[in-house]
Amino acid sequence: MINKIFAYLKQEIKSLDIFKVLDEDTSPIKNLAKKFNNLEKILIIGTGGSSLGGKSLVNFHSMYNGQNNRVIYIENTDSLHFINTIQNCNPENTGIIVISKSGRTTEPLMLFLTLCELLPKFDYKNRAIAITELSENNDLRILSESKRMQIIEHNPKIGGRFSVFSVVGLLPAILSGVDIDLFISGAKNVINDILNAEKPEDCQLFKDITSMYEVFKSGKIREHVIMAYTDMLEDFGKWYVQLISESLGKSENFGITPIRAIGTIDQHSMLQLFLGGPSNKLFTIITQRSNLKTKNINSNLNSNVISKLNNHNINDLMLSHQRATIEVLRKKASVRVLEFEQFNIQTLGFLMMSSFVEVVTIAKLADINPFDQPAVEESKQLVLKYIEEI
């Protein structure tokens, strides 16, 4: 059984566009980014799969380099936040990218339509693009054509939540300064490890995933806590939650509820529940061995805790928290630790591609189609009905 699943995974890697896109020439995307040269800010309008992957890259890079974001995501129909964001942009020095695979998602359409109302004289032809399918029944395409905007085709074989390695994620990344070649190389490391393994037991990632599936298959463990010890991976956690929820939430008999957490912050909000609450969780802890070295403290105060912290730095404390949390959790639950020497953009590529492999493998084991999301269609139809009643 496991040998067949491993062979299936290798075949999917060779045939599915979500994996094949890693080998595509990225120069067209790099050239497309030149359209926005010398602009101060770029607004990205999209939601869900159209925003979470790219935003993970943009914000990771921003925190890693200590830079303010040039790329700003507008994702939610929160009118106050929308207006405040627009008012902080100079229309003469701003670019716009609207992303929606189907072109019929209500949130980006409403946000962009509102922007068009507020900025009727904006140079949409030269400073705005749309990324969407080139289908006929596509409202975003129709709207974009009316504004004479450049339209970039969204790969019809790649769903939004799997699109981070396509133009959807890579274009915003380039515009924020990310080295996308390094990001892609991190993802390719995952693929190469799988394809170069002759047997399932030669691939650690595959062994981890199949072991995770067995834990979830029992029905006793229903929640997967993914806890990263860095603020840079906060948006990755949001992306991962969507990927798992929309891809694997298809069966009454099998389900995984993903829970994102950031160490050490969420130790003070959730660790009590993790340790004292129901034993229904599996934990993946993402750590790094070294971080930016700050100055060791040297305090003359004679107090219990401060004296323990003396002659140490922030990174020493983070490492201690990681070690302590892992130790106490292992007394309560199954814990997987993903340890990296240091977090960088390759790490993010590795984690995101590992997540794709996780979804495809578990979906096969659980006999689930990971690429559709039929349960949300009723809600989408009701939205259009109810807005007409307001």
Side-chain angles (χ1 to χ4, degrees):
M1 173 66 172
I2 293 299
N3 287 333
K4 289 183 178 179
I5 297 296
F6 192 57
Y8 166 84
L9 175 60
K10 285 190 172 187
Q11 184 56 45
E12 292 291 85
I13 286 173
K14 295 175 182 178
S15 62
L16 290 177
D17 279 34
I18 64 171
F19 300 115
K20 290 163 60 179
V21 72
L22 294 180
D23 294 318
E24 290 185 0
D25 180 12
T26 58
S27 58
I29 304 176
K30 293 175 181 175
N31 289 331
L32 181 62
K34 295 177 182 178
K35 185 183 184 83
F36 301 95
N37 278 355
N38 304 317
L39 293 179
E40 182 180 315
K41 292 183 179 179
I42 314 296
L43 300 178
I44 312 283
I45 298 176
T47 194
S50 296
S51 64
L52 290 173
K55 190 178 180 183
S56 300
L57 275 162
V58 167
N59 287 345
F60 184 101
H61 178 77
S62 174
M63 291 187 196
Y64 187 85
N65 291 282
Q67 299 173 345
N68 292 327
N69 281 340
R70 179 192 183 207
V71 173
I72 301 169
Y73 276 85
I74 304 177
E75 306 170 272
N76 198 11
T77 49
D78 179 333
S79 55
L80 178 61
H81 181 258
F82 173 82
I83 293 298
N84 287 340
T85 300
I86 300 306
Q87 288 179 340
N88 285 324
C89 294
N90 176 4
E92 300 300 319
N93 205 16
T94 297
I96 298 171
I97 300 173
V98 190
I99 308 173
S100 172
K101 182 175 187 288
S102 68
R104 298 188 298 275
T105 305
T106 56
E107 296 96 327
L109 280 171
M110 177 61 85
L111 292 167
F112 186 45
L113 284 165
T114 305
L115 195 62
C116 292
E117 293 287 335
L118 295 173
L119 304 175
K121 296 182 180 180
F122 188 88
D123 187 0
Y124 294 96
K125 179 181 178 181
N126 294 307
R127 288 191 282 120
I129 67 171
I131 301 175
T132 189
E133 289 182 331
L134 301 183
S135 53
E136 292 186 7
N137 187 24
N138 183 321
D139 295 87
L140 177 56
R141 181 187 61 79
I142 295 168
L143 174 57
S144 301
E145 287 176 348
S146 75
K147 296 292 182 181
R148 301 173 64 197
M149 288 165 54
Q150 183 177 4
I151 300 175
I152 305 301
E153 183 179 15
H154 191 303
N155 188 326
K157 295 182 180 179
I158 297 180
R161 60 186 177 274
F162 294 96
S163 64
V164 68
F165 294 99
S166 74
V167 65
V168 173
L170 297 184
L171 179 58
I174 294 170
L175 292 171
S176 65
V178 173
D179 186 334
I180 63 168
D181 295 325
L182 287 177
F183 173 65
I184 292 171
S185 73
K188 284 185 175 180
N189 287 338
V190 176
I191 300 304
N192 291 336
D193 285 348
I194 296 169
L195 295 181
N196 292 335
E198 294 184 6
K199 299 174 291 185
E201 53 267 32
D202 296 332
C203 180
Q204 186 60 50
L205 175 61
F206 183 78
K207 290 195 297 182
D208 287 350
I209 293 170
T210 51
S211 295
M212 286 168 56
Y213 170 74
E214 290 301 321
V215 171
F216 290 122
K217 182 183 176 182
S218 69
K220 296 178 182 179
I221 306 299
R222 293 283 189 171
E223 298 175 355
H224 182 192
V225 178
I226 185 159
M227 189 171 189
Y229 276 84
T230 174
D231 293 342
M232 294 186 296
L233 290 175
E234 182 171 5
D235 286 291
F236 162 76
K238 296 177 183 178
W239 172 86
Y240 179 83
V241 166
Q242 185 205 13
L243 180 71
I244 298 301
S245 300
E246 286 195 344
S247 301
L248 301 178
K250 313 286 175 67
S251 171
E252 289 282 349
N253 300 318
F254 179 85
I256 302 169
T257 300
I259 300 171
R260 62 183 177 87
I262 291 292
T264 64
I265 301 167
D266 288 317
Q267 292 173 197
H268 299 275
S269 61
M270 290 192 281
L271 190 57
Q272 171 60 43
L273 171 66
F274 294 163
L275 295 173
S279 299
N280 62 347
K281 299 171 182 64
L282 178 144
F283 294 85
T284 293
I285 311 296
I286 305 173
T287 67
Q288 63 178 342
R289 293 188 183 96
S290 62
N291 200 349
L292 179 67
K293 295 292 185 181
T294 57
K295 189 174 181 179
N296 284 8
I297 64 168
N298 184 20
S299 174
N300 294 322
L301 294 175
N302 184 20
S303 73
N304 185 43
V305 176
I306 293 178
S307 63
K308 296 288 187 182
L309 299 177
N310 233 4
N311 300 316
H312 295 288
N313 56 54
I314 293 173
N315 189 56
D316 293 340
L317 183 61
M318 177 67 94
L319 292 173
S320 300
H321 272 285
Q322 290 174 180
R323 180 179 174 185
T325 302
I326 291 168
E327 183 176 322
V328 295
L329 283 175
R330 278 180 167 156
K331 296 177 181 178
K332 170 80 174 182
S334 297
V335 178
R336 176 177 64 148
V337 178
L338 300 178
E339 185 179 51
F340 297 88
E341 184 61 40
Q342 191 171 35
F343 293 135
N344 53 43
I345 201 66
Q346 288 173 291
T347 307
L348 186 57
F350 183 93
L351 287 170
M352 290 182 133
M353 184 50 65
S354 296
S355 301
F356 283 2
V357 172
E358 179 182 325
V359 162
V360 170
T361 304
I362 291 179
K364 180 64 174 178
L365 287 163
D367 194 23
I368 290 171
N369 177 2
F371 302 114
D372 65 356
Q373 51 187 77
V376 300
E377 292 305 317
E378 180 182 1
S379 175
K380 290 181 179 180
Q381 294 303 315
L382 285 174
V383 168
L384 296 176
K385 174 186 175 182
Y386 292 153
I387 197 169
E388 291 185 315
E389 297 176 1
I390 295 175

